[in-house]
Amino acid sequence: QVQLVESGGGLVQPGGSLRLSCAASGTIFRLAIMAWYRQAPGKERELVARIFSGTSNYADSVKGRFTISRDNARNTVSLQMNSLKPEDTAVYYCYLQVASNVYWGQGTQVTVSS
């Protein structure tokens, strides 16, 4: 059974930084596409960043501010978020895909406010 456990959310002031982490178990992690999505109140869930086989992709809104990374030895994926803005406020979800199977974490709240 695949499990994704996120950590690292919280409240931060504009311009601040946070690091999200997601620990995966129950699958062959190195074969998985990993990503972070987010969902703000009243909005659809959107892709923030994705990493697979050494290649990463970012939403235009976070390019240059966020960095996704993975550690296949520890089965973890992280999202370093710098220069945070109020519009980054959302619930952030860890995403894992192996072949056609998709799994989601429970979500972690990120609030950017002064």
Side-chain angles (χ1 to χ4, degrees):
Q1 181 176 357
V2 176
Q3 288 190 322
L4 301 174
V5 179
E6 298 132 336
S7 60
L11 172 65
V12 64
Q13 292 187 343
S17 298
L18 279 176
R19 185 177 181 87
L20 305 182
S21 294
C22 173
S25 61
T27 188
I28 304 174
F29 184 82
R30 69 181 186 278
L31 300 180
I33 298 169
M34 299 300 302
W36 288 94
Y37 283 73
R38 68 185 180 188
Q39 187 166 19
K43 295 188 177 181
E44 293 187 354
R45 192 172 296 189
E46 63 174 356
L47 175 66
V48 176
R50 174 183 180 273
I51 186 167
F52 177 68
S53 191
T55 299
S56 54
N57 305 97
Y58 299 90
D60 288 343
S61 59
V62 307
K63 280 181 182 176
R65 300 188 297 122
F66 291 11
T67 302
I68 190 171
S69 61
R70 65 190 293 166
D71 185 337
N72 288 340
R74 291 184 168 85
N75 287 7
T76 59
V77 62
S78 298
L79 184 68
Q80 177 66 42
M81 305 185 294
N82 299 328
S83 302
L84 282 160
K85 304 176 181 180
E87 51 264 42
D88 294 318
T89 295
V91 178
Y92 284 70
Y93 296 91
C94 182
Y95 167 103
L96 182 152
Q97 180 180 345
V98 177
S100 60
N101 300 307
V102 172
Y103 306 91
W104 293 93
Q106 80 283 1
T108 185
Q109 177 70 46
V110 171
T111 301
V112 185
S113 175
S114 54

